[in-house]
Amino acid sequence: QVQLVESGGGRGQPGGSLTLSCTASGLTFSQWNAYWYRDPPQAKREWVATSYRSGGITKYADSVKGRFTISRGEAGNTIVLQMDDLKPEDTGTYYCNAYNGGGEGYWGEGTQVTVTS
C-alpha cells in the first residue's frame, strides 16, 4: 500500500524559510515524478514544483521560482521542498504527489503553511 506523508509545515515569517518533506512508503521516488501543489485559502489548488524522475530536471511555478527548491533525498523515499524568502501569499495547504506518467498517482494528506508577521 502506497502512502505519502508530508511534514514540516507550520508558521513562518515573511522573508523566512520553511522546509517541507514528503516521505513515501510503498514506492521509491526514483521511479516516479514528484510534485508539490498547494491550496491557497479560498482558491483552487495550484501546482508549485516538479522533480522529474530522470535527468535531474526540475520546474517551478513563476510565483515561487528563485525562492523554492525541490529535491530528492538520498534514501530515495523522500522529496523535499525548501521554501525561502517566504511571502504571505505562500500560505496554504501543501500536498505532495507522485505520478508515474502512465495514469497512476498518489497524494499525501497535506501540511499547512502559514506565512504571517
Side-chain angles (χ1 to χ4, degrees), residues 33-50:
N33 297 329
Y35 304 81
W36 285 97
Y37 288 81
R38 65 188 181 190
D39 287 355
Q42 301 176 341
K44 297 187 303 183
R45 182 164 297 182
E46 60 185 31
W47 166 71
V48 174
T50 301

Side-chain angles (χ1 to χ4, degrees), residues 46-103:
E46 60 185 31
W47 166 71
V48 174
T50 301
S51 171
Y52 290 98
R53 58 186 170 186
S54 62
I57 297 171
T58 58
K59 292 189 177 181
Y60 299 91
D62 287 343
S63 59
V64 306
K65 197 174 295 182
R67 301 188 297 118
F68 289 11
T69 304
I70 187 172
S71 61
R72 294 171 176 260
E74 292 185 4
N77 67 334
T78 304
I79 298 293
V80 175
L81 185 68
Q82 177 64 39
M83 305 164 58
D84 297 320
D85 190 19
L86 289 167
K87 302 178 185 297
E89 52 264 42
D90 294 324
T91 294
T93 303
Y94 283 70
Y95 296 90
C96 175
N97 173 262
Y99 182 61
N100 68 356

Side-chain angles (χ1 to χ4, degrees), residues 5-10 20-21 36-37 92-96 108-114:
V5 178
E6 300 94 342
S7 61
L20 304 185
S21 295
W36 285 97
Y37 288 81
T93 303
Y94 283 70
Y95 296 90
C96 175
E109 293 293 318
T111 185
Q112 178 66 35
V113 170
T114 303

